[in-house]
Structure formats: C-alpha cells, structure tokens
Amino acid sequence: MNHKDELPENEPGAEQDEQGEERDEQRENRLRKELPAEVPAQAPGAAEGAAEGAEEESAPELTGRQRLGKGLWPPRFTRAQLVVALLLFGLGFGLAVQVASNSDSDSALRGARQEDLVRILDELDDRTQRLEDEKQGLDKQRQELENSSDQAEEARRQTVEKERQLGILAGTVAAQGPGITMTIEDTKGTVQADMLLDAIQELRAAGAEAIEVNGVRVVASTYLTDSGKSVDVDGNKINAPYRFKVIGKPQDLEPALNIPGGVVQTLEKEQATVTVERSDKIVVDALRAAKQPDYARSSSQ
C-alpha cells in the first residue's frame, strides 16, 4: 500500500468535526443551565389546588383589624344606600344650619345692650297683648254666632208652632184635645140655621178652638143658611141630628151652653132635644182647603 494513499490521523477535516461537536456540547450545556428544569404536567384541578396552597403558604395570616379594613375598602354602595346617605347628609346639614342660626341669635342677644333688651321685651309684651285681644274678639264672635244660631232655631220653632196654631184656626190641619160633643135631635124640623149659628157663636165665646158640624169644619168665614127642613153650612147640606164636635175646655164650654136663656133652653123650646157630653179627647179631622185672598196682601211685602 502506498503511503501517499493513507490519510493521516490529524487530518484537517477530522479536527474540524471534533471542534464542532465540542461547540454543540458546550451550547447544549449552556442552554440547560439557562432554561428551568422541566416540570411534569399536572391535572387542571391539581394545578389550581397547588396554586391556592402556594398562595396560602405565601400569604401571611391577617389580623382582625386588617381583615376589617380589607372588607371596608374599597367601598361597595347600592342605590338605596346612596339615597339614604344623601338624605342623612341633607338632614345633618339642615340641623347644622339651624344650630348655627340659633347660636347667632343667642350671641346677638348676649351682646345686646340693656336698652335693646328692654325694647325687645316691650315688643314681645305688646305682641302678646295684641294676640290676647284678638283671641277675646274671636271668642266674642263665636258666642254671638252661637246665640244667633240659638235665636234662629227658636224663631224657627216658634214659626212652626204659630203655623200649626193658625192652621187649626183656619181649618187646614186636623186637631185633637179635650172638649165636648153636642147632639141636637130635631124630630119636628123646627131647628133653623140661625139657631145653629147662635150655638157656634156661644161656643166660640166660651173658648172653643176647633168646631166641626156633621163633617164640615167651621172657620171664621163659615156661613149657615136654611134649605127646606135642612141647613147648608158653607154650601154643604146637613140634616138632623146635628152633631157638634168642639175642642176646648169642657168646664167652660158646657156651662156656656146651659146658661138660662142660652142655646140649650132655646132649642128645647123648639121641641128639640140637646145632649152635651164631656170628653178628654175630641178629634176634629174635617179639613178646609186654604183659600188665597183675592185682594188682601201682607203689609210686609
């Protein structure tokens, strides 16, 4: 074999390869030093638990004051809390202003002169007196109004009572009370209208307040006329027996009819029979329609 054909051991290409391998080895070692060690993969839950455990281990234990401060800050407000806070602020501000104004007034009075204080007291006394006078005036007006109201009520009551009384006299309302019942039996037909009219006049003079004859109410304008063997009362024909219902004091009405030469004796002379009975309750319920006068008017109109 020719020595020219064999390559020497320290050939330039082999040296370069060895140097390149050394450089790669050095680079790999340097990268391993710089990079962190490989961590085996863990499950997600395990990783979170490890992180929390690490935080718990790393976080120091807090005191009660630190925990209170951490809960209060940063603050968290709701709308209702903000509204309440604003209302409380407004109330506090108003109270502060009122206290300040009262303090100013007190300080002003403390710093006032004696003459000014006397003047202020006089003004307060005058104002109190004016208010007292006004109160007395109002009390007087109230009493006058009450008295006038009572007077008006009394006037109304009297008016109603007067209307009732006038209605009884006018025959527009029914009436009842003590009185007498007089019955005239005329079998001969000798009783005439003037005799009945005399009986009515005698009863009125004795105090009769309401009279009814055979269902016809007797009033101030009542008239009687003869109509054959009967009598007309205000145009209403009545026949015997003639029955009078009279309201009044029986002790006055009956003696007035029985006086000598009076109504009873006159009718008995005409062969009529007269019976008078007293009663505690006589009802006169025959009514007359109220008549509007044609010419007479109240003088107050």
Side-chain angles (χ1 to χ4, degrees):
M1 185 174 181
N2 194 351
H3 294 287
K4 293 181 181 180
D5 294 332
E6 295 179 3
L7 293 175
E9 293 180 1
N10 294 328
E11 201 174 60
E15 293 178 359
Q16 293 176 357
D17 293 336
E18 292 177 359
Q19 292 177 358
E21 291 176 0
E22 292 178 359
R23 284 195 299 272
D24 293 336
E25 212 175 303
Q26 292 176 1
R27 187 181 300 112
E28 185 177 354
N29 293 331
R30 188 172 61 253
L31 290 174
R32 286 180 178 176
K33 293 179 179 180
E34 293 177 357
L35 293 175
E38 293 184 2
V39 179
Q42 297 179 356
E48 292 178 0
E52 292 178 358
E55 288 181 0
E56 291 178 358
E57 291 177 358
S58 61
E61 185 178 357
L62 300 177
T63 63
R65 182 176 298 177
Q66 290 174 343
R67 285 197 299 271
L68 179 60
K70 188 175 181 180
L72 295 176
W73 189 264
R76 299 179 182 85
F77 296 108
T78 63
R79 172 180 282 182
Q81 291 174 341
L82 289 174
V83 171
V84 172
L86 291 175
L87 292 176
L88 291 175
F89 175 77
L91 179 61
F93 181 76
L95 291 175
V97 171
Q98 185 176 1
V99 170
S101 61
N102 291 336
S103 300
D104 294 339
S105 300
D106 295 340
S107 60
L109 290 176
R110 284 196 296 269
R113 297 178 301 175
Q114 184 177 0
E115 293 81 0
D116 296 334
L117 293 175
V118 172
R119 179 178 54 81
I120 292 172
L121 289 175
D122 291 339
E123 291 178 355
L124 290 175
D125 292 339
D126 294 340
R127 183 181 300 177
T128 303
Q129 186 62 38
R130 287 195 301 269
L131 292 175
E132 185 65 26
D133 294 341
E134 184 177 357
K135 177 180 176 297
Q136 292 179 358
L138 292 174
D139 291 339
K140 184 178 179 181
Q141 291 180 4
R142 179 177 59 81
Q143 293 176 358
E144 291 177 353
L145 289 174
E146 290 178 353
N147 293 334
S148 63
S149 177
D150 294 341
Q151 292 175 1
E153 183 65 26
E154 179 64 21
R156 283 193 294 270
R157 189 189 65 79
Q158 293 180 3
T159 301
V160 172
E161 181 65 20
K162 192 68 175 179
E163 181 181 5
R164 186 185 66 83
Q165 294 174 359
L166 293 176
I168 292 174
L169 297 177
T172 57
V173 297
Q176 67 178 14
I180 63 170
T181 300
M182 180 176 68
T183 304
I184 302 174
E185 296 284 350
D186 182 22
T187 57
K188 302 291 184 179
T190 57
V191 176
Q192 297 180 351
D194 60 340
M195 299 177 184
L196 299 181
L197 182 59
D198 288 343
I200 292 173
Q201 296 292 352
E202 195 68 42
L203 290 170
R204 284 176 173 171
E209 297 177 351
I211 303 173
E212 177 182 330
V213 181
N214 286 29
V216 179
R217 187 71 171 266
V218 177
V219 295
S221 61
T222 295
Y223 62 92
L224 289 84
T225 58
D226 291 322
S227 178
K229 291 186 178 181
S230 60
V231 177
D232 285 346
V233 180
D234 291 335
N236 299 291
K237 187 176 181 179
I238 61 175
N239 297 311
Y242 304 110
R243 191 169 185 229
F244 287 71
K245 293 196 295 184
V246 186
I247 294 177
K249 189 176 181 180
Q251 295 85 349
D252 295 339
L253 297 175
E254 184 180 7
L257 296 173
N258 290 315
I259 60 175
V263 173
V264 173
Q265 286 188 0
T266 302
L267 291 172
E268 287 177 348
K269 287 180 182 180
E270 299 294 332
Q271 299 181 353
T273 303
V274 182
T275 303
V276 179
E277 296 179 357
R278 297 185 184 186
S279 176
D280 294 333
K281 184 179 181 181
I282 300 293
V283 178
V284 176
D285 51 5
L287 303 179
R288 299 288 294 268
K291 183 179 179 181
Q292 181 69 28
D294 297 329
Y295 305 102
R297 295 291 182 271
S298 174
S299 60
S300 61
Q301 293 182 353

